[in-house]
Amino acid sequence: MRETFVATTTALLDEDPRTAVVLADISSDAFADAHRRHPDRVLNVGIREQLMAGVAGGLALTGLRPYLHSYAPFLIDRAYEQIKLDLGHQDVGAVLVSIGASYDASAEGYTHQSPGDVGLLDTLEGWTVHVPGHPDEVPPLLRAAARNDDRVYVRLSAQHNARAYERTYRLQVVRRGWAGAPVVLAVGPMLDPVLAATRGLDVTVAYTMTPRPFDGAGLRELVSREVIVVEPYLAGTSSRLVAAALSDVPHRELHLGVGRAEQRRYGTPADHAHWHGLDPAGLRTSIVTFLD
């Protein structure tokens, strides 16, 4: 996904004079050629993520469309106040593109992990959040973001599904159970683990790569009694939105994702998925226990 982001954004720099890229050292080598062609629109502020957000706010005020990029904890957690003020309070837009996801960079330690990034943006107004599940889903999201001035977050991951799906804000049904069957909603790269975990179970599996704005109407059309939400970030991040969408529908909810207990060890991304119960075996245990 990271390479796809670089290629797509480099093409946008060549095609669209509004596009700008602001970096904080991460991936600067990948944009070296683009910087030589567009030195006024490819800016590397060094290891100063707060400044990166502030510069983006200034560029947006001049009419440019800035794309910001770094690891999720540097881009969102560290620069949160500047995102809140220099983008949100000024009511200007930018496209924030992260890598690392919740624990892709597990070998780098907890400094490079951000399971709470989407939850942080949920405290602010007007953010669209994309969580693509396949590299081929990334270019349409980035190109669509270039055509507006909204505040957009694109959360890239090294984990991905076997196939790409159409870009849409609506929930997509991937596997349909019997009428009234429990619904399992998978976000982004959690779809393939969910499909493996629910093999042989009579459930409806739905997918979204755009959890914000949340498709509450689409969820209402699917859910009759039980809904299970599987997100690749902090468990329960979407619980308030699910509850609001189903406020007048008697139902039960289960929210699965990265646990709140910090893992004070390194390991691989697969290890972390196992520790958080997000591998197929862990998901199946949680889902079957809930449904039984």
Side-chain angles (χ1 to χ4, degrees):
M1 291 190 193
R2 184 178 189 175
E3 289 76 13
T4 303
F5 154 68
V6 171
T8 303
T9 312
T10 297
L12 284 170
L13 285 163
D14 293 335
E15 299 164 8
D16 185 352
R18 280 209 327 147
T19 302
V21 172
V22 189
L23 305 171
D25 266 5
I26 300 298
S27 298
S28 59
D29 289 348
F31 283 98
D33 289 342
H35 173 70
R36 283 190 283 271
R37 293 196 302 275
H38 310 287
D40 56 334
R41 290 189 287 122
V42 180
L43 310 174
N44 181 9
V45 301
I47 307 175
R48 301 175 180 88
E49 289 82 4
Q50 294 95 331
L51 176 60
M52 177 172 61
V55 167
L59 293 175
L61 285 170
T62 71
L64 292 177
R65 184 62 165 152
Y67 285 67
L68 290 68
H69 170 66
S70 190
Y71 278 87
F74 310 152
L75 180 65
I76 304 298
D77 303 44
R78 185 175 296 174
Y80 171 77
E81 185 176 13
Q82 282 64 44
I83 293 171
K84 178 179 73 173
L85 298 177
D86 297 342
L87 296 175
H89 190 59
Q90 293 191 126
D91 198 19
V92 294
V95 185
L96 279 57
V97 183
S98 74
I99 55 172
S102 292
Y103 42 70
D104 283 354
S106 57
E108 305 297 333
Y110 201 55
T111 57
H112 284 59
Q113 299 175 30
S114 181
D117 52 350
V118 176
L120 278 173
L121 290 181
D122 272 351
T123 68
L124 305 176
E125 176 191 16
W127 279 89
T128 295
V129 177
H130 300 300
V131 184
H134 189 278
D136 290 348
E137 295 172 0
V138 176
L141 298 175
L142 295 174
R143 287 189 169 276
R147 296 192 292 268
N148 60 63
D149 291 302
D150 297 343
R151 291 183 285 278
V152 178
Y153 179 42
V154 183
R155 190 183 203 259
L156 304 184
S157 175
Q159 317 305 310
H160 60 81
N161 304 316
R163 57 155 290 190
Y165 289 82
E166 177 187 1
R167 181 182 72 86
T168 174
Y169 284 76
R170 298 282 290 170
L171 302 185
Q172 302 182 62
V173 175
V174 177
R175 180 190 297 161
R176 192 175 292 276
W178 58 278
V183 173
V184 185
L185 171 59
V187 177
M190 296 312 305
L191 177 59
D192 275 8
V194 163
L195 288 172
T198 57
R199 189 172 292 118
L201 300 180
D202 200 352
V203 299
T204 292
V205 177
Y207 172 67
T208 183
M209 70 184 75
T210 303
R212 304 291 184 275
F214 186 78
D215 182 15
L219 187 66
R220 284 179 61 88
E221 293 174 4
L222 295 175
V223 172
S224 61
R225 293 182 303 178
E226 295 153 325
V227 58
I228 300 163
V229 180
V230 186
E231 301 175 284
Y233 32 80
L234 198 63
T237 297
S238 295
S239 58
R240 67 178 182 86
L241 298 170
V242 172
L246 303 177
S247 60
D248 60 345
V249 178
H251 70 284
R252 297 193 306 139
E253 300 176 23
L254 174 66
H255 293 270
L256 302 175
V258 178
R260 293 181 180 273
E262 185 175 328
Q263 300 296 322
R264 292 178 172 85
R265 45 189 168 171
Y266 290 88
T268 66
D271 289 330
H272 282 259
H274 174 69
W275 296 332
H276 290 288
L278 293 178
D279 59 345
L283 289 170
R284 188 174 184 91
T285 296
S286 296
I287 292 169
V288 170
T289 299
F290 175 72
L291 295 180
D292 282 350

